[in-house]
Amino acid sequence: MGVCFYLGKKCLLESGLFKKKVIFLGKIFSRPYHSATSALSLEEQFDESPAIHSHEIENCSGRTKGVGIPKRPRLFPLALRVVKTLNWQVTRKMRFHNAEKIHGFAHSIDAFRIIVHMFASAGMEMEAYSLLLDIVCYYEVFNRDMFELFSVLLDSPQHSERSIVVFDVLMKVFAANSMLVNAVDVFFETKKVGLTPNIFSCNFLLKCLMEASKADFVRLLFEDLKINGPSPNVYTYTIMMNFYCKGHFGQAVDIEHATDILKAIEKSGESTSVVTYSTYIYGLCKAGYVDCALVFLRDLKCRNQPLNSYCYNSVIFGFCQQGQLCKALEVFEEMKNHGILPDAYSFSILIDGFCKKGDIENGLHIVHGMLRSDVKLNHVQYSSFFTGLCKVGLIDISLKMFRSLSASGYKHDLISYSTLVNGFSMLGDVDSASKLLEEMINNSFVPDSYTFGMLIHRCCKVGLLEKAIELFNVMWESGLLPNIFVWNVIVDRICKEGYLEQALKLIYEMQDQGIFPNSYTYHAIIKKLCEEKKSEKALGLLPSMLKMDVLHTSCFSSLIDGFVKQSNPKKALILYERMPRLGITPNTVTYTILINLFCQRNKMQQACNIFKDMKKRGFIPDEVTYTCLIDGFCKIHRMDLANLLFDEMMTNGVTPNVKTYTALIAGYKRLGNIDRCYELFDEMKKKRIFPDDIA
């Protein structure tokens, strides 16, 4: 079969049919390579039949059947017409899967390869892209080996340079459609046949790899470009600068490699763009080297390098994040003095910084400067103001400003409303927050889960259970599924109000809605049941918790405490012994409850054993734990051991409280050592620990 690139009146003929073995990932494919057939060769094999349109292709008879004179294939005349005219209107109606159905795969891929090469050679890359995308889609749908496509499209090993544009386009097709392993394979296979991909195609692949979090491939491709070509250009370096400075894939900013990129640009002779500089400055600031970023920025200015507001904004933001607002303002003024006009973001950073710090005066000063510069305030700046005013408790001024803007025709957004609702919620002004929330919904703004959650939490905290449930229902009707935090807040309040049966029903309702209770949900109910001396009923919740894998130490501590207070120490100890078997580790609270249990019963040996076990497991006793033991020893007249514990307590940096001193004073009083009682009493006064009625 002949080879031809038909461009204008030029025609190059190369005949031959041969085979080549391709090794990929340990598999050997033996595949014939057909050269792109020339127009002359096509004319020799097929007559000048009328061109076939897409509807004719679909109605064509299938492959030749039986014996006798075979039917002439009708796809190559169409390919010939495209080769001669480069008519995209004819070509775009062709679909590879339709052609394959009628003419078979081998015949169809040959024809399409010819057409793809023609368009690619004529510089019509978009048309070649469309055809290759069609073929790739076919391969994917019919589960053909995508890695074969490279060898299928190769024009001729002896004249492989003719295929370079096709492979550049194929690499883009794979990269743009997230078939990145295939795109990387095309890159390396292209090099294996002695071709050098276009650097712009490589840059596109590099960018796609970076955006898809393929860090290893990014590094591999970049290193190969540096060593084997094509030589990276300024866009390649900018992509890599972005890669190292933006902290992609959850990794930290890699300033060391970013600096190497900057040096590589200078060494290559490429002109560094302002985008590259701004990205590097951003990386320095994100990594916490804001002072270094400022030094670098000033050095660039001295060397008359290109700078823009993005370069300065990163430094301003960096200083604001560190709380160095004066330095941020200094850089802001420096930017203006150097003839670079601040943009809306420049002002926003400073307004947000000052307002979050509660410095409304300087925030207003920035706003005035913004207005003088004819930069209009947007929703972000107004929201920053509202946040700042709320933070310093000036919620009334914030609301007044909000209303004033509304009266002037300004349309508030979701963030402005949410900021004020949250501000009133934090201050405990539930009525104002609720009214704003209602207004917000009436203006077609749907509050998010956080805003609803904040207000529901505040209502529960101040005891407004009915209001909280009302808001809970509004949230539900707004199409927002309450999250676990909101459910827990409601359950906790219901328990505190004493409606335990309703709380239990709510847990089952949560599960019906696909939200599974966590340990906090159950703990609220267990704690309340234990307080009401219904520890056995609380114990009945453990199997459900075990099934959901939400067992937690706090639940066991509450249960143990409940059984202790119900004078059932045996059940408390059984629970304590079961904890390790269930994978639950006791904490300081658990140990203290048990130590107190034994101390109250004058079983000091058992109490000391638990105390030793507690320290052995790495838990640090607090003042409550020490006080329980000290009180226990004082009650059995072992003041020597009580004093040893008191000294250990002080040595470990645990401050005694009024109950600790009261226990010691009571112990010495029982022994008649009144002088020591007065000494301890004076010691309390010196430490500003005020005695209670018992002391």
Side-chain angles (χ1 to χ4, degrees), residues 246-454:
K246 293 293 176 71
H248 290 283
F249 332 119
Q251 64 185 19
V253 173
D254 191 340
I255 285 300
E256 187 178 344
H257 276 97
T259 305
D260 289 341
I261 293 292
L262 209 57
K263 291 175 182 175
I265 299 174
E266 293 171 359
K267 189 177 178 181
S268 70
E270 290 275 358
S271 297
T272 310
S273 71
V274 67
V275 177
T276 312
Y277 282 135
S278 65
T279 306
Y280 182 64
I281 291 168
Y282 171 87
L284 284 169
C285 294
K286 191 171 181 180
Y289 303 116
V290 187
D291 287 307
C292 293
L294 180 58
V295 171
F296 181 71
L297 182 66
R298 286 170 174 168
D299 179 62
L300 290 175
K301 184 63 188 172
C302 290
R303 293 191 284 120
N304 291 319
Q305 293 298 309
L307 294 172
N308 58 18
S309 59
Y310 294 103
C311 301
Y312 284 93
N313 287 346
S314 293
V315 180
I316 294 167
F317 181 76
F319 281 127
C320 284
Q321 288 292 97
Q322 292 181 354
Q324 299 188 61
L325 294 171
C326 291
K327 269 197 170 183
L329 199 55
E330 182 186 327
V331 176
F332 179 80
E333 293 298 328
E334 196 173 302
M335 173 172 63
K336 290 195 294 182
N337 293 336
H338 290 156
I340 297 172
L341 294 175
D343 55 19
Y345 184 58
S346 313
F347 287 103
S348 290
I349 298 165
L350 287 170
I351 291 169
D352 187 60
F354 281 114
C355 288
K356 279 182 177 175
K357 196 178 179 182
D359 190 347
I360 303 301
E361 187 178 345
N362 268 311
L364 284 169
H365 176 72
I366 299 297
V367 170
H368 291 148
M370 190 174 182
L371 295 173
R372 284 195 300 271
S373 301
D374 291 327
V375 179
K376 291 183 179 180
L377 275 83
N378 57 29
H379 292 101
V380 176
Q381 281 100 36
Y382 282 124
S383 295
S384 294
F385 259 123
F386 298 145
T387 301
L389 289 166
C390 291
K391 190 168 184 177
V392 295
L394 300 174
I395 190 72
D396 292 333
I397 296 174
S398 182
L399 183 61
K400 188 176 180 181
M401 181 180 177
F402 182 86
R403 297 295 181 209
S404 175
L405 286 166
S406 298
S408 66
Y410 181 81
K411 300 293 181 185
H412 292 289
D413 66 348
L414 176 66
I415 298 172
S416 298
Y417 271 108
S418 298
T419 301
L420 282 175
V421 172
N422 294 337
F424 279 116
S425 295
M426 283 188 287
L427 291 175
D429 190 345
V430 173
D431 288 335
S432 297
S434 298
K435 286 175 185 175
L436 267 173
L437 188 77
E438 186 179 346
E439 181 185 320
M440 185 178 180
I441 294 169
N442 291 337
N443 286 333
S444 302
F445 292 115
V446 180
D448 58 17
S449 297
Y450 178 79
T451 303
F452 269 115
M454 281 284 292

Side-chain angles (χ1 to χ4, degrees), residues 31-134:
R31 162 148 212 101
Y33 285 88
H34 300 278
S35 56
T37 312
S38 70
L40 290 174
S41 179
L42 283 169
E43 286 175 349
E44 288 169 6
Q45 296 185 49
F46 308 108
D47 63 8
E48 281 283 4
S49 307
I52 301 173
H53 298 286
S54 59
H55 67 276
E56 293 174 319
I57 291 176
E58 302 208 6
N59 295 325
C60 275
S61 59
R63 299 177 183 87
T64 305
K65 296 180 182 178
V67 293
I69 301 172
K71 290 186 179 179
R72 183 174 294 151
R74 301 291 302 278
L75 190 57
F76 272 93
L78 176 60
L80 177 61
R81 183 181 175 192
V82 173
V83 167
K84 284 187 172 183
T85 64
L86 293 176
N87 190 328
W88 176 244
Q89 295 305 315
V90 172
T91 314
R92 74 186 187 89
K93 295 177 182 178
M94 298 167 59
R95 307 301 301 174
F96 185 79
H97 71 278
N98 289 336
E100 190 275 339
K101 267 191 225 174
I102 299 165
H103 302 285
F105 178 78
H107 187 61
S108 302
I109 197 69
D110 284 344
F112 267 73
R113 181 178 60 251
I114 294 165
I115 296 168
V116 167
H117 275 80
M118 287 299 104
F119 280 121
S121 300
M124 299 170 71
E125 289 190 22
M126 292 300 294
E127 289 78 0
Y129 183 99
S130 181
L131 289 169
L132 286 172
L133 179 61
D134 191 25

